[in-house]
Amino acid sequence: MAPEVALTIALVAVAVAVRLLGLGLETYDWLWYLEPWTRFIAENGGFAALKFSFADYNVPYLYLLTGFVWLSQHTPVDVLVWIKLGSVVFDAVLAVYAARIVALRGPGWRMPLLAGLTVLLLPTVVLNGAYWGQCDTIYSAFAVAGLYYLLRGRPWVGTALIGVAFAFKLQAIFLFPVLAALLLTGRLRWRCLITIPAAYVLFAVPAWLAGRPFGDLMLIYANQTGKFPMLTYSAPSVYSFLRPAPQYLDMVRTAGVLFAVAAFLALVFLLVARRVELDTEHIVFLAAASALMAPFLLPGMHERYFMLAEVLTVVAAFWAPRKLWFVPVLVQAASIITYETYLVQAKPAPVDLRLLTLLVLAALATLVGRLFKGSLAPTPVSNTIAG
């Protein structure tokens, strides 16, 4: 084990070093959003600032920003660095739970360890927090942790963590088709879902006590939906092929949402109709397919909304390495090129977005096809999640 331990330490050191390199980078999202938000918090009494609607993120992340502002005021470390360090912590949490899901495949520690290191060193995971200063690994970490506990037969913990992920960011709904499939096949009971709205409401209480109207807090996500009117924001989605005239944009967006919902319902219907056994393996494949299908089919997606899919396709590939090894490669290739377009302002874009969309489509088709095939490995945990 000595060489493997040494190599693991070396890889973790590389993961740390490459993140330290990006902590001082100021992106447009910092200049246009995060910096004004943190300045507003500092100028309006810290936590007391939360009574105002000054940011379009839900309040759990604003609580973190408030904490980072306080830390910057009491330490020599700049608030931007604290923001990025906060995301880096969740990079590690995300990697740990990805590894724990892979560990459910069977005995042995090498595959789970390698899976966790792969997630930790994924280019988009590295860039999202340490360079970009985004929080996509935060909600993804809670979502993947929730999936892990669902697989372990602890539905209350699993749905509660997915609820926390949802409270941090709306994109946690990308895992909701998994919950729907588990419900309709009797693997999960309806009462467990109460934890999701409960988590959302509980996180809103501190901001409400600070003075923000409760109705305003409940409608944050509803107000977000109209903020980004374009069909795609550099996301390799089906909308890279569409160029409607401005007067038809709203109609296409609405139709796109409806078609995406129909696609998810059809997927769940096929799972039920074909009596696919939702054992641990198939739930992993379904979660990866769902996390990839959602930003691929929904309008208004940003490139970084594929974060959950990027991680879960790695998990799925480690679950069935001979069949799915290339799936995370396709997804990562598509995502990292779109990241480059933003982070280093590559103009023109190095690769046509439509070609990247085809890579994602190939990955999605492979996952869905694998989902409807037989199990590849024994399931070492209970097939009953219900709770």
Side-chain angles (χ1 to χ4, degrees), residues 348-366:
V351 180
D352 192 310
L353 189 60
R354 291 170 293 185
L355 295 177
L356 303 181
T357 299
L358 294 177
L359 296 183
V360 176
L361 177 60
L364 179 59
T366 303

Side-chain angles (χ1 to χ4, degrees), residues 279-324:
D279 54 14
T280 306
E281 176 183 274
H282 284 87
I283 296 172
V284 168
F285 295 160
L286 176 58
S290 177
L292 188 58
M293 184 184 292
F296 183 76
L297 293 180
L298 286 170
M301 296 289 102
H302 292 249
E303 64 280 278
R304 50 193 172 80
Y305 292 175
F306 281 86
M307 172 61 67
L308 191 56
E310 291 155 11
V311 174
L312 289 178
T313 52
V314 169
V315 173
F318 273 92
W319 200 277
R322 293 185 179 180
K323 302 292 184 180
L324 299 178

Side-chain angles (χ1 to χ4, degrees), residues 7-60:
L7 288 170
T8 299
I9 294 173
L11 287 170
V12 171
V14 170
V16 172
V18 74
R19 284 168 168 80
L20 291 175
L21 187 63
L23 293 183
L25 178 66
E26 295 184 355
T27 65
Y28 285 115
D29 276 12
W30 160 254
L31 297 174
W32 295 342
Y33 301 104
L34 292 174
E35 195 277 333
W37 295 349
T38 55
R39 187 173 64 249
F40 185 91
I41 292 171
E43 293 173 351
N44 288 272
F47 186 80
L50 296 178
K51 66 182 178 182
F52 301 105
S53 178
F54 62 89
D56 59 356
Y57 272 44
N58 202 7
V59 287

Side-chain angles (χ1 to χ4, degrees), residues 231 239 248-261 298-299:
L231 294 178
Y239 300 97
Y248 300 113
L249 197 58
D250 288 341
M251 180 184 68
V252 174
R253 280 178 55 89
T254 303
V257 172
L258 294 175
F259 274 114
V261 172
L298 286 170

Side-chain angles (χ1 to χ4, degrees), residues 47 50 63 201-211 217:
F47 186 80
L50 296 178
Y63 300 151
V201 172
L202 286 174
F203 272 111
V205 169
W208 173 62
L209 293 176
L217 291 165

Side-chain angles (χ1 to χ4, degrees), residues 47-295:
F47 186 80
L50 296 178
K51 66 182 178 182
F52 301 105
S53 178
F54 62 89
D56 59 356
Y57 272 44
N58 202 7
V59 287
Y61 185 64
L62 300 184
Y63 300 151
L64 290 181
L65 284 186
T66 303
F68 297 145
V69 169
W70 184 90
L71 286 170
S72 69
Q73 293 171 337
H74 294 82
T75 67
V77 180
D78 186 75
V79 65
L80 174 60
V81 176
W82 280 116
I83 290 172
K84 292 185 174 184
L85 288 175
S87 293
V88 166
V89 169
F90 282 94
D91 291 354
V93 176
L94 183 58
V96 167
Y97 276 99
R100 296 186 77 178
I101 292 177
V102 173
L104 297 177
R105 191 177 188 275
W109 55 271
R110 290 178 178 84
M111 289 286 278
L113 176 62
L114 188 56
L117 291 172
T118 300
V119 169
L120 196 62
L121 287 165
L122 276 181
T124 49
V125 171
V126 171
L127 293 173
N128 188 277
Y131 287 73
W132 201 333
Q134 288 292 345
C135 61
D136 296 281
T137 56
I138 298 178
Y139 86 87
S140 295
F142 284 111
V144 172
L147 177 63
Y148 168 77
Y149 285 107
L150 285 176
L151 295 173
R152 288 297 308 272
R154 300 177 63 184
W156 289 99
V157 177
T159 54
L161 287 170
I162 292 174
V164 174
F166 177 70
F168 268 94
K169 211 161 188 186
L170 178 60
Q171 283 70 40
I173 63 171
F174 295 172
L175 282 186
F176 281 16
V178 178
L179 300 178
L182 293 175
L183 284 169
L184 294 175
T185 55
R187 294 289 311 278
L188 185 66
R189 294 180 181 173
W190 287 98
R191 63 190 182 193
C192 297
L193 297 185
I194 195 173
T195 59
I196 296 176
Y200 187 93
V201 172
L202 286 174
F203 272 111
V205 169
W208 173 62
L209 293 176
R212 190 165 176 180
F214 191 75
D216 185 24
L217 291 165
M218 294 298 101
L219 294 175
I220 288 175
Y221 289 155
N223 295 330
Q224 283 180 356
T225 55
K227 185 175 176 63
F228 300 104
M230 292 176 61
L231 294 178
T232 178
Y233 292 83
S234 298
S237 71
V238 66
Y239 300 97
S240 64
F241 291 98
L242 301 180
R243 298 290 188 275
Q247 63 267 31
Y248 300 113
L249 197 58
D250 288 341
M251 180 184 68
V252 174
R253 280 178 55 89
T254 303
V257 172
L258 294 175
F259 274 114
V261 172
F264 279 116
L265 291 175
L267 177 63
V268 175
F269 176 85
L270 287 174
L271 288 170
V272 174
R274 294 188 60 176
R275 303 187 182 216
V276 174
E277 182 185 359
L278 286 182
D279 54 14
T280 306
E281 176 183 274
H282 284 87
I283 296 172
V284 168
F285 295 160
L286 176 58
S290 177
L292 188 58
M293 184 184 292

